[in-house]
Amino acid sequence: KMNKRLSLLLILFVLILYPQISHGNSENYIEIFDPHENKVIKKVELTKEINDMVINWIKEINEIHPSINPIKDNGYAIKFPFEAPVEVKNKWMNARVEEVYLVVPKEEAAFFVIFERENRPLFFLFPGEVDKLSEALDFQLR
C-alpha cells in the first residue's frame, strides 16, 4: 500500500511541478506521463476538440472513485490544462478548475484527479471512453 501511495504522490508531484511548454504564442499542451519511465513521454497540442471533450466529461462526473486507495503505479497519467478555467459544480465540489489529471491504469477504471481549494485532491470515476481519448491523442492508452 505504501509503495502505491508513494507512486501516486510521485506522479502527482511530477505533473504539478513539470514546467509548462511555451512556444511563442503560449499554446497549452497535454502531457502524458509514464510512471515506469518516470517522465512525460508525449506532449499533444490542446485542440479545441480535446478541450471541449474533456470539459464535457468533467461536467458529467457523477461518481466519486469507490476505492479507498485509488493509487495506481501502472498505466498513464495525463495532464489536461484548459484554455480558460472551468466551473465544476457537483455534489462533491464547487470550484474553478484550470487543469485536470486523468489516471488510466492498465486494467482498472480510469479516474480524474481534480485539485480543489488548498490543493486537496478529489478522485472521480472517468465518465468518458478511453478509446475515444486514445484516438484524439493519437496514443494507445490501453
Side-chain angles (χ1 to χ4, degrees):
K1 282 186 172 183
M2 186 58 115
N3 192 20
K4 287 184 178 182
R5 192 165 288 150
L6 184 61
S7 294
L8 177 66
L9 290 176
L10 178 64
I11 289 171
L12 294 177
F13 180 76
V14 169
L15 289 175
I16 290 169
L17 295 181
Y18 197 82
Q20 292 269 338
I21 294 183
S22 177
H23 286 277
N25 59 0
S26 299
E27 294 178 290
N28 289 323
Y29 284 80
I30 298 161
E31 298 175 342
I32 302 172
F33 180 82
D34 184 337
H36 290 293
E37 293 187 34
N38 198 27
K39 66 179 184 177
V40 173
I41 58 169
K42 183 170 184 174
K43 295 176 184 164
V44 178
E45 185 177 345
L46 178 67
T47 63
K48 180 166 177 30
E49 174 192 0
I50 295 172
N51 186 74
D52 293 348
M53 184 169 46
V54 176
I55 288 171
N56 286 336
W57 284 331
I58 66 169
K59 289 184 175 189
E60 290 176 13
I61 289 173
N62 61 13
E63 214 173 330
I64 220 160
H65 195 286
S67 175
I68 293 171
N69 185 17
I71 294 144
K72 307 298 168 208
D73 57 359
N74 61 33
Y76 300 99
I78 307 159
K79 175 183 172 184
F80 294 98
F82 294 123
E83 293 172 346
V86 176
E87 291 291 328
V88 178
K89 294 180 182 182
N90 59 38
K91 61 184 174 183
W92 300 282
M93 71 181 291
N94 181 2
R96 288 173 50 98
V97 177
E98 294 181 13
E99 62 189 20
V100 297
Y101 300 87
L102 179 65
V103 177
V104 183
K106 291 267 184 228
E107 297 179 12
E108 297 179 43
F111 60 93
F112 278 124
V113 181
I114 299 175
F115 288 90
E116 195 183 30
R117 61 190 172 279
E118 298 167 12
N119 286 331
R120 182 177 66 125
L122 298 173
F123 303 93
F124 300 101
L125 285 180
F126 176 58
E129 299 171 30
V130 172
D131 291 343
K132 184 175 181 181
L133 180 60
S134 288
E135 184 177 318
L137 296 174
D138 192 27
F139 184 83
Q140 192 61 44
L141 293 166
R142 287 204 173 135

